[in-house]
Amino acid sequence: DDGDIEGNSSLMRFRTSAGHQILLHDTEDLIYIANSNGTSWIQIDGKGQLDIYSQTNINLRSKNINMHADQNIKMHAGQTVQIVAGANLHLEGTSMANLYSDKGATFIHGGSGVHVKSGGGVNIQASSGMNLKAVVLRYKARQLVLESKKSRTIDPRRYYA
């Protein structure tokens, strides 16, 4: 199919007898590739948008995969997002990094330790109880302030002279 006889629709469609097709459509300024069932397709439009659909899975494999967006990258899953690295996982935010769970708990686990470092202060806040459990608990500070209904300052030299 290469459009109508009067040239009003400039398109070329390659379709197999089973229904697989490639459509090159100048009037709509798009390229469309689909399987016969419509369960997988790719569409490229003249504005630069690329849409890829698969009813089941999309698999990418290469030695390296780089994704770059001049503005934002957003991933959404109806259930779980899982990122697995065989060696190191590095997440970085130039101005902020958030790890957030609205309805459930947030867990951080390190098989051989967890290190927290800040160029400024560190604030930990709990709406209910907070538990610390360790074989040894060490602190290094000029002053330790414990606050409850009455604020109280503890001089560590008093206990560890």
Side-chain angles (χ1 to χ4, degrees):
D1 184 0
D2 59 0
D4 66 16
I5 198 165
E6 296 163 3
N8 294 326
S9 177
S10 299
L11 66 86
M12 293 183 70
R13 182 187 323 256
F14 302 96
R15 187 181 324 201
T16 67
S17 59
H20 305 294
Q21 67 175 312
I22 299 173
L23 172 66
L24 308 171
H25 201 306
D26 286 344
T27 306
E28 296 296 323
D29 200 14
L30 66 86
I31 299 170
Y32 181 77
I33 303 170
N35 67 5
S36 61
N37 299 323
T39 55
S40 296
W41 52 261
I42 298 172
Q43 180 173 307
I44 305 168
D45 72 17
K47 295 178 182 173
Q49 182 158 323
L50 170 65
D51 294 322
I52 300 173
Y53 171 79
S54 174
Q55 186 173 329
T56 56
N57 298 303
I58 296 175
N59 300 297
L60 302 173
R61 182 172 181 141
S62 177
K63 181 178 178 181
N64 295 294
I65 297 175
N66 299 297
M67 294 186 339
H68 174 85
D70 290 331
Q71 291 184 6
N72 301 305
I73 295 176
K74 181 178 182 178
M75 292 190 280
H76 172 79
Q79 292 182 15
T80 301
V81 174
Q82 182 178 0
I83 300 172
V84 176
N88 299 314
L89 176 62
H90 181 97
L91 303 174
E92 181 178 331
T94 302
S95 62
M96 181 186 290
N98 284 327
L99 180 61
Y100 179 76
S101 176
D102 187 34
K103 296 181 181 177
T106 301
F107 296 90
I108 299 173
H109 172 77
S112 64
V114 175
H115 303 269
V116 178
K117 182 177 181 180
S118 173
V122 176
N123 299 303
I124 300 173
Q125 180 179 344
S127 295
S128 60
M130 184 169 79
N131 302 305
L132 296 175
K133 180 180 179 182
V135 174
V136 175
L137 180 60
R138 293 186 178 108
Y139 71 93
K140 183 178 181 179
R142 283 185 243 146
Q143 187 177 25
L144 176 62
V145 178
L146 300 176
E147 294 184 11
S148 61
K149 292 183 180 180
K150 294 182 180 180
S151 293
R152 184 173 149 199
T153 301
I154 298 174
D155 183 354
R157 292 171 295 177
R158 182 174 166 193
Y159 298 99
Y160 301 102

